[in-house]
Amino acid sequence: MTPPAAPGKQAPRTPAGQARDRILATAFRLFYAQGLRAAGIDTIIAESGVAKATFYKYFPAKDDLILAYLEKVDGVWTGQLHAAADAAGPDPADQLVGLFDALATACRRDGYRGCAFINAAAESASGTRVHERTVAHKEQVRAWIRGLAEEAGAPDPDQLARSLTLVLDGGLASGVLDADPSAATAAKATAARLVAASLGTPNPN
């Protein structure tokens, strides 16, 4: 969920068929690195190498671009979470802990600035389309984790899912606040204890 390195020079003009992807790729990098409001439309247009009219053809308002950016981030981060869970094996209890390996990967990346959705929520007013999209993402992640908790036989899958997503979000925030790579390890260990306590299995330490 971390974009490529720092902004480069103004890109050459790009064919119209590739313009939307070029704009979105540039926004993905700048929004994450600089923030939604600090990254201006003129900068995104210049660095993506498209005409202003082309930009507004695809994204009539800045919020339209922000929503497309969040959609792309959602796909990347959700894919990483699912891949980490799948790598832990077929047991849903193991997957509930294994998904935290995605946190370790994210926090160790160059340019890591925390959760793009938490950052976006902090910059958007409640009730706006952008804020609602951030809430929807968090609800979707929690619903998926709740499903795993139910499959694992948790007596209260809602509570376990809520606890695990709080740990996940805390790990995402800690990874940028203190830049300590051990935050992800601690988050995974906490998740393992929560899952064990919920399922009544031996504490994994």
Side-chain angles (χ1 to χ4, degrees), residues 87-180:
D91 186 343
D94 291 338
Q95 291 181 354
L96 286 169
V97 179
L99 68 89
F100 281 79
D101 287 332
L103 178 61
T105 301
C107 291
R108 292 190 182 112
R109 290 182 179 175
D110 291 339
Y112 177 70
R113 292 191 65 249
C115 175
F117 284 91
I118 294 175
N119 296 345
E123 291 195 63
S124 58
S126 179
T128 61
R129 291 189 299 157
V130 171
H131 195 273
E132 288 174 353
R133 184 63 183 86
T134 67
V135 172
H137 166 78
K138 294 299 181 181
E139 289 178 344
Q140 288 160 7
V141 171
R142 187 167 64 249
W144 168 61
I145 292 176
R146 186 204 179 283
L148 289 177
E150 190 171 29
E151 290 176 28
D156 190 346
D158 288 313
Q159 181 59 42
L160 181 56
R162 169 69 70 177
S163 298
L164 290 175
T165 52
L166 286 172
V167 173
L168 183 62
D169 285 339
L172 287 166
S174 180
V176 67
L177 288 172
D178 54 30
D180 186 348

Side-chain angles (χ1 to χ4, degrees), residues 59-81:
F59 304 103
K62 187 175 183 180
D63 278 0
D64 295 320
L65 179 57
I66 292 172
L67 289 169
Y69 155 71
L70 291 175
E71 192 69 29
K72 184 171 182 177
V73 175
D74 191 342
V76 172
W77 178 231
T78 300
Q80 290 171 347
L81 286 172

Side-chain angles (χ1 to χ4, degrees), residues 7-63:
K9 296 181 180 178
Q10 179 173 336
R13 294 293 171 186
T14 189
Q18 302 171 13
R20 187 182 187 280
D21 290 342
R22 187 69 169 268
I23 294 165
L24 187 52
T26 303
F28 187 83
R29 172 168 51 84
L30 295 180
F31 281 155
Y32 188 77
Q34 300 179 8
L36 302 182
R37 303 308 167 193
I41 293 298
D42 288 343
T43 300
I44 293 171
I45 289 172
E47 294 204 18
S48 61
V50 301
K52 185 171 288 191
T54 301
F55 175 90
Y56 285 108
K57 171 186 174 182
Y58 292 107
F59 304 103
K62 187 175 183 180
D63 278 0

